[in-house]
Structure formats: C-alpha cells, structure tokens
Amino acid sequence: MLSTPLRFGSVILNALATADALCDQPPPPDPAWPAEGSTIAPSRAEALHAHFAGEEPIDPRPTAAEKREYNAFRKAHERWLSSKSPAKGKVPEFKFSSNDGWIVDAKESAIIAAAIERVLADEDKFELLCDILDVSRSGDKGVRDGLAKFQRFNARCAKGEGYTVD
C-alpha cells in the first residue's frame, strides 16, 4: 500500500506522464504584492496582507485605495493559481508539484480523469507505470486502487468546478 501523500503525488505525476497528459512548462511568475510601482511601503503591505487574510486587525484601517490595490492583487493571484497549459489536452505539471493552492478546473479534471482511465485500461501502460515507480506485482493493486479513486474524484470534479491542490 502507498504510505505517504508524497508517494501518491509521485504516482499521479508518473501516471499522467505515462498518459502524455502533462505540460512541463514552468509556472508563470507569481504577481507581486504590493504591485510594482505601488506607493505602499513593504511593512504596510505585510500588515495589509495579514489583515486581509483575517490574521490580525490593522491600525490605521485600510484606505479605499489600499483595498482596491489588494483586491487587484487577489484577482491576479487567483488567475495565477488558475494558470493553464499552452498545450491543448494537457495539464501543467507544476499544479501537482506543490501544495500552493493551484486550481484544477473542470476541464483539467476531465483531462486527468481520461488520462488515468487510459493508463488503467491499458495493461502495457500500467505495467510501464509500475516499472517507473519500481512497484512489484504485489504492490500494483495499491497503485491501481489509488489511481482508480483519483480517477473517480477527477470525473466528479469535471462535472463541477474542479478543485484546489493544497
């Protein structure tokens, strides 16, 4: 059986690679807070970030301009977390390489579900995956069961709004 989340992350990445469903392009740069050219001082920006994250109150209260600037940052950050692959029918590999809150949308969930289904249905691909993972015949049931669960999860998410990797 698979023992740690990192191990299953490796199974997912290798299964998607075996199905040729990953794009290995690096993520775009994360939007800066505060934005370049902002008049908000770094210490104030840090305090505002903590305040808007609900961590602590702030004094003086955020101005309307600070609220607008932070809302613009949040929207840019959400777009960044939703980054897409430039290759049609593929999902960015980086979304499964960290727990940074990457957003896997419904279309990407469908791509993942179909890719895992292809690996599970093709004995040669599944055997290749087990070889890559260095999993013996006695351990392949755990890999198969875990992938089947993740495939069903993605199939459900493809009918909804997707999910967040965190």
Side-chain angles (χ1 to χ4, degrees):
M1 194 59 165
L2 305 172
S3 60
T4 67
L6 290 177
R7 176 76 169 137
F8 191 64
S10 176
V11 171
I12 292 168
L13 284 172
N14 282 290
L16 294 175
T18 300
D20 195 29
L22 289 178
C23 171
D24 65 355
Q25 180 176 331
D30 189 359
W33 171 251
E36 190 174 324
S38 173
T39 59
I40 299 174
S43 60
R44 178 69 175 170
E46 188 176 319
L48 285 165
H49 189 64
H51 172 73
F52 288 122
E55 295 173 13
E56 49 189 81
I58 191 171
D59 189 36
R61 296 176 59 87
T63 66
E66 289 171 332
K67 288 177 185 177
R68 280 192 304 276
E69 194 168 334
Y70 192 78
N71 283 335
F73 161 74
R74 279 194 8 232
K75 287 178 184 175
H77 188 72
E78 183 87 7
R79 282 191 304 277
W80 177 72
L81 290 172
S82 299
S83 298
K84 305 284 182 258
S85 168
K88 185 176 175 149
K90 297 195 180 206
V91 178
E93 181 177 345
F94 61 79
K95 288 190 177 185
F96 295 98
S97 299
S98 74
N99 292 331
D100 290 343
W102 297 108
I103 297 169
V104 176
D105 69 16
K107 285 183 181 181
E108 290 170 323
S109 296
I111 291 167
I112 293 165
I116 292 173
E117 190 173 315
R118 287 193 306 273
V119 170
L120 291 173
D122 183 325
E123 281 305 313
D124 290 336
K125 284 185 180 180
F126 185 73
E127 188 174 326
L128 173 62
L129 174 63
C130 288
D131 286 347
I132 291 168
L133 295 170
D134 196 25
V135 174
S136 66
R137 274 288 203 219
S138 62
D140 70 0
K141 181 176 178 355
V143 171
R144 187 176 295 279
D145 291 348
L147 282 175
K149 286 179 186 176
F150 194 62
Q151 188 279 332
R152 289 189 302 270
F153 169 77
N154 275 276
R156 282 191 312 273
C157 292
K159 295 176 184 174
E161 296 180 18
Y163 56 95
T164 302
V165 180
D166 55 7

PDB file of all heavy atoms in Angstrom, residues 75-109:
ATOM      1  N   LYS A  75      -7.134  39.178  -7.320  1.00  0.00           N
ATOM      2  CA  LYS A  75      -7.627  38.706  -8.624  1.00  0.00           C
ATOM      3  C   LYS A  75      -6.475  38.200  -9.490  1.00  0.00           C
ATOM      4  O   LYS A  75      -6.596  37.160 -10.140  1.00  0.00           O
ATOM      5  CB  LYS A  75      -8.392  39.824  -9.339  1.00  0.00           C
ATOM      6  CG  LYS A  75      -9.748  40.096  -8.730  1.00  0.00           C
ATOM      7  CD  LYS A  75     -10.445  41.235  -9.432  1.00  0.00           C
ATOM      8  CE  LYS A  75     -11.759  41.528  -8.727  1.00  0.00           C
ATOM      9  NZ  LYS A  75     -12.436  42.694  -9.285  1.00  0.00           N
ATOM     10  N   ALA A  76      -5.358  38.922  -9.488  1.00  0.00           N
ATOM     11  CA  ALA A  76      -4.183  38.491 -10.264  1.00  0.00           C
ATOM     12  C   ALA A  76      -3.640  37.172  -9.700  1.00  0.00           C
ATOM     13  O   ALA A  76      -3.245  36.277 -10.463  1.00  0.00           O
ATOM     14  CB  ALA A  76      -3.106  39.572 -10.238  1.00  0.00           C
ATOM     15  N   HIS A  77      -3.637  37.044  -8.388  1.00  0.00           N
ATOM     16  CA  HIS A  77      -3.155  35.819  -7.749  1.00  0.00           C
ATOM     17  C   HIS A  77      -4.073  34.640  -8.093  1.00  0.00           C
ATOM     18  O   HIS A  77      -3.594  33.542  -8.371  1.00  0.00           O
ATOM     19  CB  HIS A  77      -3.072  36.021  -6.228  1.00  0.00           C
ATOM     20  CG  HIS A  77      -2.408  34.901  -5.507  1.00  0.00           C
ATOM     21  ND1 HIS A  77      -1.060  34.655  -5.575  1.00  0.00           N
ATOM     22  CD2 HIS A  77      -2.919  33.948  -4.711  1.00  0.00           C
ATOM     23  CE1 HIS A  77      -0.767  33.603  -4.850  1.00  0.00           C
ATOM     24  NE2 HIS A  77      -1.880  33.141  -4.311  1.00  0.00           N
ATOM     25  N   GLU A  78      -5.368  34.868  -8.117  1.00  0.00           N
ATOM     26  CA  GLU A  78      -6.330  33.818  -8.486  1.00  0.00           C
ATOM     27  C   GLU A  78      -6.115  33.383  -9.946  1.00  0.00           C
ATOM     28  O   GLU A  78      -6.143  32.192 -10.251  1.00  0.00           O
ATOM     29  CB  GLU A  78      -7.762  34.331  -8.291  1.00  0.00           C
ATOM     30  CG  GLU A  78      -8.830  33.333  -8.577  1.00  0.00           C
ATOM     31  CD  GLU A  78      -9.196  32.456  -7.398  1.00  0.00           C
ATOM     32  OE1 GLU A  78      -8.716  32.696  -6.289  1.00  0.00           O
ATOM     33  OE2 GLU A  78      -9.968  31.522  -7.612  1.00  0.00           O
ATOM     34  N   ARG A  79      -5.873  34.341 -10.837  1.00  0.00           N
ATOM     35  CA  ARG A  79      -5.577  33.995 -12.238  1.00  0.00           C
ATOM     36  C   ARG A  79      -4.285  33.178 -12.314  1.00  0.00           C
ATOM     37  O   ARG A  79      -4.189  32.230 -13.081  1.00  0.00           O
ATOM     38  CB  ARG A  79      -5.450  35.257 -13.103  1.00  0.00           C
ATOM     39  CG  ARG A  79      -6.778  35.873 -13.489  1.00  0.00           C
ATOM     40  CD  ARG A  79      -6.633  36.960 -14.550  1.00  0.00           C
ATOM     41  NE  ARG A  79      -5.730  38.034 -14.188  1.00  0.00           N
ATOM     42  CZ  ARG A  79      -6.034  39.082 -13.440  1.00  0.00           C
ATOM     43  NH1 ARG A  79      -7.267  39.222 -12.959  1.00  0.00           N
ATOM     44  NH2 ARG A  79      -5.139  40.013 -13.160  1.00  0.00           N
ATOM     45  N   TRP A  80      -3.295  33.555 -11.504  1.00  0.00           N
ATOM     46  CA  TRP A  80      -2.024  32.831 -11.475  1.00  0.00           C
ATOM     47  C   TRP A  80      -2.247  31.392 -11.020  1.00  0.00           C
ATOM     48  O   TRP A  80      -1.728  30.460 -11.633  1.00  0.00           O
ATOM     49  CB  TRP A  80      -1.046  33.559 -10.545  1.00  0.00           C
ATOM     50  CG  TRP A  80       0.263  32.891 -10.364  1.00  0.00           C
ATOM     51  CD1 TRP A  80       1.281  32.796 -11.285  1.00  0.00           C
ATOM     52  CD2 TRP A  80       0.732  32.226  -9.188  1.00  0.00           C
ATOM     53  NE1 TRP A  80       2.348  32.112 -10.740  1.00  0.00           N
ATOM     54  CE2 TRP A  80       2.031  31.763  -9.451  1.00  0.00           C
ATOM     55  CE3 TRP A  80       0.173  31.998  -7.935  1.00  0.00           C
ATOM     56  CZ2 TRP A  80       2.781  31.060  -8.506  1.00  0.00           C
ATOM     57  CZ3 TRP A  80       0.918  31.308  -6.996  1.00  0.00           C
ATOM     58  CH2 TRP A  80       2.202  30.853  -7.292  1.00  0.00           C
ATOM     59  N   LEU A  81      -3.028  31.206  -9.962  1.00  0.00           N
ATOM     60  CA  LEU A  81      -3.309  29.858  -9.456  1.00  0.00           C
ATOM     61  C   LEU A  81      -4.103  29.024 -10.467  1.00  0.00           C
ATOM     62  O   LEU A  81      -4.100  27.801 -10.405  1.00  0.00           O
ATOM     63  CB  LEU A  81      -4.076  29.921  -8.133  1.00  0.00           C
ATOM     64  CG  LEU A  81      -3.281  30.423  -6.935  1.00  0.00           C
ATOM     65  CD1 LEU A  81      -4.204  30.636  -5.739  1.00  0.00           C
ATOM     66  CD2 LEU A  81      -2.151  29.478  -6.588  1.00  0.00           C
ATOM     67  N   SER A  82      -4.789  29.689 -11.379  1.00  0.00           N
ATOM     68  CA  SER A  82      -5.597  29.014 -12.399  1.00  0.00           C
ATOM     69  C   SER A  82      -4.845  28.850 -13.722  1.00  0.00           C
ATOM     70  O   SER A  82      -5.454  28.517 -14.740  1.00  0.00           O
ATOM     71  CB  SER A  82      -6.878  29.817 -12.656  1.00  0.00           C
ATOM     72  OG  SER A  82      -7.645  29.917 -11.498  1.00  0.00           O
ATOM     73  N   SER A  83      -3.549  29.098 -13.720  1.00  0.00           N
ATOM     74  CA  SER A  83      -2.741  29.032 -14.950  1.00  0.00           C
ATOM     75  C   SER A  83      -3.033  27.763 -15.738  1.00  0.00           C
ATOM     76  O   SER A  83      -3.182  26.685 -15.170  1.00  0.00           O
ATOM     77  CB  SER A  83      -1.248  29.068 -14.608  1.00  0.00           C
ATOM     78  OG  SER A  83      -0.916  30.268 -13.976  1.00  0.00           O
ATOM     79  N   LYS A  84      -3.105  27.913 -17.032  1.00  0.00           N
ATOM     80  CA  LYS A  84      -3.407  26.797 -17.943  1.00  0.00           C
ATOM     81  C   LYS A  84      -2.171  26.381 -18.724  1.00  0.00           C
ATOM     82  O   LYS A  84      -1.237  27.149 -18.894  1.00  0.00           O
ATOM     83  CB  LYS A  84      -4.480  27.211 -18.957  1.00  0.00           C
ATOM     84  CG  LYS A  84      -5.759  27.742 -18.340  1.00  0.00           C
ATOM     85  CD  LYS A  84      -6.579  26.617 -17.792  1.00  0.00           C
ATOM     86  CE  LYS A  84      -7.873  27.114 -17.227  1.00  0.00           C
ATOM     87  NZ  LYS A  84      -7.885  27.208 -15.785  1.00  0.00           N
ATOM     88  N   SER A  85      -2.219  25.188 -19.248  1.00  0.00           N
ATOM     89  CA  SER A  85      -1.175  24.708 -20.133  1.00  0.00           C
ATOM     90  C   SER A  85      -1.386  25.329 -21.511  1.00  0.00           C
ATOM     91  O   SER A  85      -2.516  25.400 -21.988  1.00  0.00           O
ATOM     92  CB  SER A  85      -1.254  23.184 -20.252  1.00  0.00           C
ATOM     93  OG  SER A  85      -0.441  22.738 -21.303  1.00  0.00           O
ATOM     94  N   PRO A  86      -0.307  25.734 -22.167  1.00  0.00           N
ATOM     95  CA  PRO A  86      -0.462  26.222 -23.542  1.00  0.00           C
ATOM     96  C   PRO A  86      -0.724  25.078 -24.532  1.00  0.00           C
ATOM     97  O   PRO A  86      -1.173  25.316 -25.641  1.00  0.00           O
ATOM     98  CB  PRO A  86       0.887  26.899 -23.828  1.00  0.00           C
ATOM     99  CG  PRO A  86       1.850  26.261 -22.893  1.00  0.00           C
ATOM    100  CD  PRO A  86       1.059  25.854 -21.687  1.00  0.00           C
ATOM    101  N   ALA A  87      -0.469  23.848 -24.087  1.00  0.00           N
ATOM    102  CA  ALA A  87      -0.678  22.676 -24.950  1.00  0.00           C
ATOM    103  C   ALA A  87      -2.094  22.137 -24.728  1.00  0.00           C
ATOM    104  O   ALA A  87      -2.463  21.797 -23.604  1.00  0.00           O
ATOM    105  CB  ALA A  87       0.355  21.605 -24.636  1.00  0.00           C
ATOM    106  N   LYS A  88      -2.846  22.048 -25.794  1.00  0.00           N
ATOM    107  CA  LYS A  88      -4.223  21.555 -25.699  1.00  0.00           C
ATOM    108  C   LYS A  88      -4.248  20.105 -25.185  1.00  0.00           C
ATOM    109  O   LYS A  88      -3.438  19.276 -25.585  1.00  0.00           O
ATOM    110  CB  LYS A  88      -4.881  21.624 -27.075  1.00  0.00           C
ATOM    111  CG  LYS A  88      -6.338  21.247 -27.046  1.00  0.00           C
ATOM    112  CD  LYS A  88      -6.987  21.420 -28.394  1.00  0.00           C
ATOM    113  CE  LYS A  88      -8.396  20.912 -28.296  1.00  0.00           C
ATOM    114  NZ  LYS A  88      -9.316  21.557 -29.133  1.00  0.00           N
ATOM    115  N   GLY A  89      -5.182  19.844 -24.265  1.00  0.00           N
ATOM    116  CA  GLY A  89      -5.353  18.497 -23.746  1.00  0.00           C
ATOM    117  C   GLY A  89      -4.337  18.101 -22.687  1.00  0.00           C
ATOM    118  O   GLY A  89      -4.222  16.929 -22.351  1.00  0.00           O
ATOM    119  N   LYS A  90      -3.609  19.084 -22.155  1.00  0.00           N
ATOM    120  CA  LYS A  90      -2.614  18.797 -21.126  1.00  0.00           C
ATOM    121  C   LYS A  90      -2.844  19.681 -19.902  1.00  0.00           C
ATOM    122  O   LYS A  90      -3.483  20.719 -19.985  1.00  0.00           O
ATOM    123  CB  LYS A  90      -1.202  18.991 -21.665  1.00  0.00           C
ATOM    124  CG  LYS A  90      -0.900  18.024 -22.802  1.00  0.00           C
ATOM    125  CD  LYS A  90       0.544  17.940 -23.086  1.00  0.00           C
ATOM    126  CE  LYS A  90       0.739  16.951 -24.228  1.00  0.00           C
ATOM    127  NZ  LYS A  90       2.034  16.343 -24.196  1.00  0.00           N
ATOM    128  N   VAL A  91      -2.298  19.223 -18.791  1.00  0.00           N
ATOM    129  CA  VAL A  91      -2.403  19.928 -17.512  1.00  0.00           C
ATOM    130  C   VAL A  91      -0.993  20.307 -17.077  1.00  0.00           C
ATOM    131  O   VAL A  91      -0.065  19.503 -17.225  1.00  0.00           O
ATOM    132  CB  VAL A  91      -3.057  19.013 -16.452  1.00  0.00           C
ATOM    133  CG1 VAL A  91      -3.140  19.691 -15.107  1.00  0.00           C
ATOM    134  CG2 VAL A  91      -4.447  18.577 -16.911  1.00  0.00           C
ATOM    135  N   PRO A  92      -0.813  21.522 -16.538  1.00  0.00           N
ATOM    136  CA  PRO A  92       0.528  21.898 -16.078  1.00  0.00           C
ATOM    137  C   PRO A  92       1.030  20.975 -14.963  1.00  0.00           C
ATOM    138  O   PRO A  92       0.333  20.747 -13.976  1.00  0.00           O
ATOM    139  CB  PRO A  92       0.340  23.323 -15.544  1.00  0.00           C
ATOM    140  CG  PRO A  92      -0.908  23.822 -16.183  1.00  0.00           C
ATOM    141  CD  PRO A  92      -1.773  22.608 -16.378  1.00  0.00           C
ATOM    142  N   GLU A  93       2.227  20.465 -15.142  1.00  0.00           N
ATOM    143  CA  GLU A  93       2.827  19.572 -14.146  1.00  0.00           C
ATOM    144  C   GLU A  93       2.993  20.273 -12.803  1.00  0.00           C
ATOM    145  O   GLU A  93       2.832  19.656 -11.754  1.00  0.00           O
ATOM    146  CB  GLU A  93       4.185  19.089 -14.659  1.00  0.00           C
ATOM    147  CG  GLU A  93       4.896  18.142 -13.726  1.00  0.00           C
ATOM    148  CD  GLU A  93       6.204  17.634 -14.301  1.00  0.00           C
ATOM    149  OE1 GLU A  93       6.439  17.772 -15.510  1.00  0.00           O
ATOM    150  OE2 GLU A  93       6.981  17.092 -13.512  1.00  0.00           O
ATOM    151  N   PHE A  94       3.301  21.566 -12.834  1.00  0.00           N
ATOM    152  CA  PHE A  94       3.565  22.280 -11.586  1.00  0.00           C
ATOM    153  C   PHE A  94       2.376  22.282 -10.636  1.00  0.00           C
ATOM    154  O   PHE A  94       2.553  22.438  -9.428  1.00  0.00           O
ATOM    155  CB  PHE A  94       4.066  23.713 -11.837  1.00  0.00           C
ATOM    156  CG  PHE A  94       3.115  24.612 -12.585  1.00  0.00           C
ATOM    157  CD1 PHE A  94       2.035  25.211 -11.964  1.00  0.00           C
ATOM    158  CD2 PHE A  94       3.335  24.877 -13.932  1.00  0.00           C
ATOM    159  CE1 PHE A  94       1.175  26.055 -12.659  1.00  0.00           C
ATOM    160  CE2 PHE A  94       2.491  25.719 -14.642  1.00  0.00           C
ATOM    161  CZ  PHE A  94       1.406  26.309 -13.999  1.00  0.00           C
ATOM    162  N   LYS A  95       1.172  22.067 -11.154  1.00  0.00           N
ATOM    163  CA  LYS A  95      -0.002  22.047 -10.280  1.00  0.00           C
ATOM    164  C   LYS A  95       0.024  20.858  -9.323  1.00  0.00           C
ATOM    165  O   LYS A  95      -0.666  20.868  -8.309  1.00  0.00           O
ATOM    166  CB  LYS A  95      -1.298  22.040 -11.097  1.00  0.00           C
ATOM    167  CG  LYS A  95      -1.581  23.376 -11.754  1.00  0.00           C
ATOM    168  CD  LYS A  95      -2.962  23.422 -12.353  1.00  0.00           C
ATOM    169  CE  LYS A  95      -3.244  24.791 -12.931  1.00  0.00           C
ATOM    170  NZ  LYS A  95      -4.623  24.906 -13.420  1.00  0.00           N
ATOM    171  N   PHE A  96       0.822  19.833  -9.643  1.00  0.00           N
ATOM    172  CA  PHE A  96       0.916  18.650  -8.782  1.00  0.00           C
ATOM    173  C   PHE A  96       2.297  18.504  -8.159  1.00  0.00           C
ATOM    174  O   PHE A  96       2.622  17.469  -7.592  1.00  0.00           O
ATOM    175  CB  PHE A  96       0.536  17.397  -9.568  1.00  0.00           C
ATOM    176  CG  PHE A  96      -0.896  17.422  -9.990  1.00  0.00           C
ATOM    177  CD1 PHE A  96      -1.240  17.820 -11.269  1.00  0.00           C
ATOM    178  CD2 PHE A  96      -1.908  17.113  -9.096  1.00  0.00           C
ATOM    179  CE1 PHE A  96      -2.574  17.889 -11.656  1.00  0.00           C
ATOM    180  CE2 PHE A  96      -3.231  17.179  -9.471  1.00  0.00           C
ATOM    181  CZ  PHE A  96      -3.564  17.566 -10.755  1.00  0.00           C
ATOM    182  N   SER A  97       3.093  19.554  -8.263  1.00  0.00           N
ATOM    183  CA  SER A  97       4.443  19.517  -7.703  1.00  0.00           C
ATOM    184  C   SER A  97       4.558  20.298  -6.403  1.00  0.00           C
ATOM    185  O   SER A  97       5.630  20.351  -5.813  1.00  0.00           O
ATOM    186  CB  SER A  97       5.436  20.070  -8.729  1.00  0.00           C
ATOM    187  OG  SER A  97       5.419  19.273  -9.886  1.00  0.00           O
ATOM    188  N   SER A  98       3.482  20.946  -5.996  1.00  0.00           N
ATOM    189  CA  SER A  98       3.482  21.681  -4.729  1.00  0.00           C
ATOM    190  C   SER A  98       2.054  21.757  -4.201  1.00  0.00           C
ATOM    191  O   SER A  98       1.105  21.452  -4.910  1.00  0.00           O
ATOM    192  CB  SER A  98       4.038  23.096  -4.917  1.00  0.00           C
ATOM    193  OG  SER A  98       3.093  23.917  -5.588  1.00  0.00           O
ATOM    194  N   ASN A  99       1.938  22.191  -2.982  1.00  0.00           N
ATOM    195  CA  ASN A  99       0.626  22.383  -2.358  1.00  0.00           C
ATOM    196  C   ASN A  99       0.336  23.874  -2.212  1.00  0.00           C
ATOM    197  O   ASN A  99      -0.088  24.336  -1.164  1.00  0.00           O
ATOM    198  CB  ASN A  99       0.576  21.708  -0.981  1.00  0.00           C
ATOM    199  CG  ASN A  99       0.640  20.215  -1.087  1.00  0.00           C
ATOM    200  OD1 ASN A  99       0.208  19.639  -2.074  1.00  0.00           O
ATOM    201  ND2 ASN A  99       1.178  19.571  -0.074  1.00  0.00           N
ATOM    202  N   ASP A 100       0.560  24.629  -3.286  1.00  0.00           N
ATOM    203  CA  ASP A 100       0.433  26.082  -3.244  1.00  0.00           C
ATOM    204  C   ASP A 100      -0.976  26.600  -3.497  1.00  0.00           C
ATOM    205  O   ASP A 100      -1.167  27.800  -3.621  1.00  0.00           O
ATOM    206  CB  ASP A 100       1.397  26.719  -4.250  1.00  0.00           C
ATOM    207  CG  ASP A 100       2.848  26.572  -3.841  1.00  0.00           C
ATOM    208  OD1 ASP A 100       3.110  26.278  -2.655  1.00  0.00           O
ATOM    209  OD2 ASP A 100       3.735  26.760  -4.700  1.00  0.00           O
ATOM    210  N   GLY A 101      -1.947  25.711  -3.590  1.00  0.00           N
ATOM    211  CA  GLY A 101      -3.316  26.156  -3.824  1.00  0.00           C
ATOM    212  C   GLY A 101      -3.669  26.251  -5.299  1.00  0.00           C
ATOM    213  O   GLY A 101      -4.605  26.966  -5.671  1.00  0.00           O
ATOM    214  N   TRP A 102      -2.937  25.520  -6.142  1.00  0.00           N
ATOM    215  CA  TRP A 102      -3.232  25.539  -7.573  1.00  0.00           C
ATOM    216  C   TRP A 102      -4.672  25.109  -7.816  1.00  0.00           C
ATOM    217  O   TRP A 102      -5.172  24.206  -7.172  1.00  0.00           O
ATOM    218  CB  TRP A 102      -2.278  24.607  -8.327  1.00  0.00           C
ATOM    219  CG  TRP A 102      -0.855  25.043  -8.221  1.00  0.00           C
ATOM    220  CD1 TRP A 102       0.126  24.436  -7.497  1.00  0.00           C
ATOM    221  CD2 TRP A 102      -0.260  26.182  -8.831  1.00  0.00           C
ATOM    222  NE1 TRP A 102       1.296  25.135  -7.626  1.00  0.00           N
ATOM    223  CE2 TRP A 102       1.083  26.212  -8.445  1.00  0.00           C
ATOM    224  CE3 TRP A 102      -0.728  27.190  -9.674  1.00  0.00           C
ATOM    225  CZ2 TRP A 102       1.977  27.201  -8.865  1.00  0.00           C
ATOM    226  CZ3 TRP A 102       0.151  28.171 -10.092  1.00  0.00           C
ATOM    227  CH2 TRP A 102       1.479  28.175  -9.692  1.00  0.00           C
ATOM    228  N   ILE A 103      -5.299  25.750  -8.774  1.00  0.00           N
ATOM    229  CA  ILE A 103      -6.692  25.460  -9.113  1.00  0.00           C
ATOM    230  C   ILE A 103      -6.718  24.564 -10.347  1.00  0.00           C
ATOM    231  O   ILE A 103      -6.198  24.926 -11.410  1.00  0.00           O
ATOM    232  CB  ILE A 103      -7.476  26.757  -9.353  1.00  0.00           C
ATOM    233  CG1 ILE A 103      -7.500  27.575  -8.059  1.00  0.00           C
ATOM    234  CG2 ILE A 103      -8.879  26.458  -9.863  1.00  0.00           C
ATOM    235  CD1 ILE A 103      -8.002  28.999  -8.213  1.00  0.00           C
ATOM    236  N   VAL A 104      -7.310  23.387 -10.182  1.00  0.00           N
ATOM    237  CA  VAL A 104      -7.524  22.453 -11.287  1.00  0.00           C
ATOM    238  C   VAL A 104      -8.998  22.622 -11.660  1.00  0.00           C
ATOM    239  O   VAL A 104      -9.881  22.284 -10.878  1.00  0.00           O
ATOM    240  CB  VAL A 104      -7.214  20.993 -10.860  1.00  0.00           C
ATOM    241  CG1 VAL A 104      -7.521  20.026 -11.986  1.00  0.00           C
ATOM    242  CG2 VAL A 104      -5.765  20.873 -10.405  1.00  0.00           C
ATOM    243  N   ASP A 105      -9.258  23.198 -12.834  1.00  0.00           N
ATOM    244  CA  ASP A 105     -10.648  23.474 -13.202  1.00  0.00           C
ATOM    245  C   ASP A 105     -11.335  22.213 -13.743  1.00  0.00           C
ATOM    246  O   ASP A 105     -10.723  21.144 -13.842  1.00  0.00           O
ATOM    247  CB  ASP A 105     -10.740  24.649 -14.174  1.00  0.00           C
ATOM    248  CG  ASP A 105     -10.171  24.368 -15.558  1.00  0.00           C
ATOM    249  OD1 ASP A 105      -9.955  23.188 -15.918  1.00  0.00           O
ATOM    250  OD2 ASP A 105      -9.947  25.336 -16.300  1.00  0.00           O
ATOM    251  N   ALA A 106     -12.588  22.353 -14.090  1.00  0.00           N
ATOM    252  CA  ALA A 106     -13.380  21.204 -14.546  1.00  0.00           C
ATOM    253  C   ALA A 106     -12.791  20.568 -15.807  1.00  0.00           C
ATOM    254  O   ALA A 106     -12.745  19.339 -15.931  1.00  0.00           O
ATOM    255  CB  ALA A 106     -14.828  21.623 -14.781  1.00  0.00           C
ATOM    256  N   LYS A 107     -12.328  21.377 -16.757  1.00  0.00           N
ATOM    257  CA  LYS A 107     -11.742  20.828 -17.990  1.00  0.00           C
ATOM    258  C   LYS A 107     -10.470  20.045 -17.683  1.00  0.00           C
ATOM    259  O   LYS A 107     -10.244  18.969 -18.234  1.00  0.00           O
ATOM    260  CB  LYS A 107     -11.437  21.947 -18.989  1.00  0.00           C
ATOM    261  CG  LYS A 107     -12.660  22.500 -19.667  1.00  0.00           C
ATOM    262  CD  LYS A 107     -12.279  23.546 -20.690  1.00  0.00           C
ATOM    263  CE  LYS A 107     -13.515  24.112 -21.349  1.00  0.00           C
ATOM    264  NZ  LYS A 107     -13.169  25.110 -22.366  1.00  0.00           N
ATOM    265  N   GLU A 108      -9.642  20.596 -16.803  1.00  0.00           N
ATOM    266  CA  GLU A 108      -8.415  19.893 -16.433  1.00  0.00           C
ATOM    267  C   GLU A 108      -8.744  18.606 -15.676  1.00  0.00           C
ATOM    268  O   GLU A 108      -8.090  17.583 -15.868  1.00  0.00           O
ATOM    269  CB  GLU A 108      -7.515  20.790 -15.583  1.00  0.00           C
ATOM    270  CG  GLU A 108      -6.914  21.939 -16.382  1.00  0.00           C
ATOM    271  CD  GLU A 108      -6.219  22.968 -15.522  1.00  0.00           C
ATOM    272  OE1 GLU A 108      -6.699  23.252 -14.403  1.00  0.00           O
ATOM    273  OE2 GLU A 108      -5.189  23.501 -15.966  1.00  0.00           O
ATOM    274  N   SER A 109      -9.770  18.649 -14.844  1.00  0.00           N
ATOM    275  CA  SER A 109     -10.212  17.444 -14.132  1.00  0.00           C
ATOM    276  C   SER A 109     -10.624  16.368 -15.124  1.00  0.00           C
ATOM    277  O   SER A 109     -10.310  15.184 -14.931  1.00  0.00           O
ATOM    278  CB  SER A 109     -11.380  17.757 -13.194  1.00  0.00           C
ATOM    279  OG  SER A 109     -10.996  18.639 -12.178  1.00  0.00           O
TER     280      SER A 109
END
